[in-house]
Amino acid sequence: MLHLVNTETSDALNINTYKKDGFVKVADVEHNALGDPYNIWKLTNQNEDVLYDDHGSWVYMIVDGETVVKIGETGNPLGIRTSRTDQPLKGTKCRFGRLISHRNDVTDQSIRDTLVESVNAKRVSLWALKCDYVKNSTYSVAGNPITLNSTVHKDLELQYINHIKEQTGERPLCNKADK
């Protein structure tokens, strides 16, 4: 059984706390195939407008029931649509495509292994916050001025992890380090 912080005494791990920040539910999680040795996930009840947005700056949360168990960030789209299936493209080009299927990554496999019972009980969902690009730096390249976009997803992810640690004394279950 998973060790979860009591969300009755700590709103810091309750997903409802972060809806006001703009986090939206992207999909529910189920097992893709019985007996798969790699514990591959399938995304159901997809919010396709968010899942398949080609934006490249996100903070995401994996949630068990209402409890945040993982906070992450990505500079890739959450999902890439394919014509072969209703699931995101598998592999490293999109974060949730990697999360649901990547076999050669300790982090993704560990998350799936940790949440097996919760996925069996259909309690796991994926949430995300779309981060703005910040235009803040003008440079010259070969004499031509350019303005670069910066992203904040990495810094914002750390702020969420630090907030939860300050409130609960620990990171979410599947966050192994502060980064």
Side-chain angles (χ1 to χ4, degrees), residues 101-116:
S101 65
H102 204 258
R103 297 177 179 180
N104 297 320
D105 182 86
V106 174
T107 300
D108 296 325
Q109 188 67 53
S110 173
I111 291 167
R112 292 194 307 268
D113 290 346
T114 299
L115 297 175
V116 156

Side-chain angles (χ1 to χ4, degrees), residues 13 15-16 18 31 33 37 40 46 63-64 91 98 114 120 132-133 139 151 161-162 173-174 176 178:
L13 282 172
I15 187 59
N16 294 309
Y18 304 105
H31 288 291
I40 304 302
Q46 296 176 8
V63 177
D64 181 351
R98 178 179 147 185
T114 299
N120 283 339
D132 292 333
Y133 294 121
Y139 293 91
T151 58
I161 292 170
N162 288 338
L173 178 67
C174 293
K176 302 297 184 205
D178 295 339

Side-chain angles (χ1 to χ4, degrees), residues 8-79:
E8 292 176 11
T9 59
S10 178
D11 288 339
L13 282 172
N14 189 307
I15 187 59
N16 294 309
T17 301
Y18 304 105
K19 288 180 183 179
K20 64 182 169 241
D21 294 344
F23 275 88
V24 295
K25 187 175 178 183
V26 179
D28 291 317
V29 176
E30 294 181 3
H31 288 291
N32 193 28
L34 294 175
D36 186 317
Y38 295 103
N39 182 22
I40 304 302
W41 286 358
K42 177 180 178 179
L43 302 185
T44 61
N45 302 317
Q46 296 176 8
N47 179 340
E48 293 185 359
D49 291 340
V50 178
L51 179 58
Y52 298 113
D53 188 325
D54 65 358
H55 188 71
S57 183
W58 302 89
V59 174
Y60 66 88
M61 293 183 179
I62 302 174
V63 177
D64 181 351
E66 293 184 347
T67 303
V68 175
V69 294
K70 168 73 175 165
I71 298 173
E73 55 78 19
T74 186
N76 290 328
L78 297 174

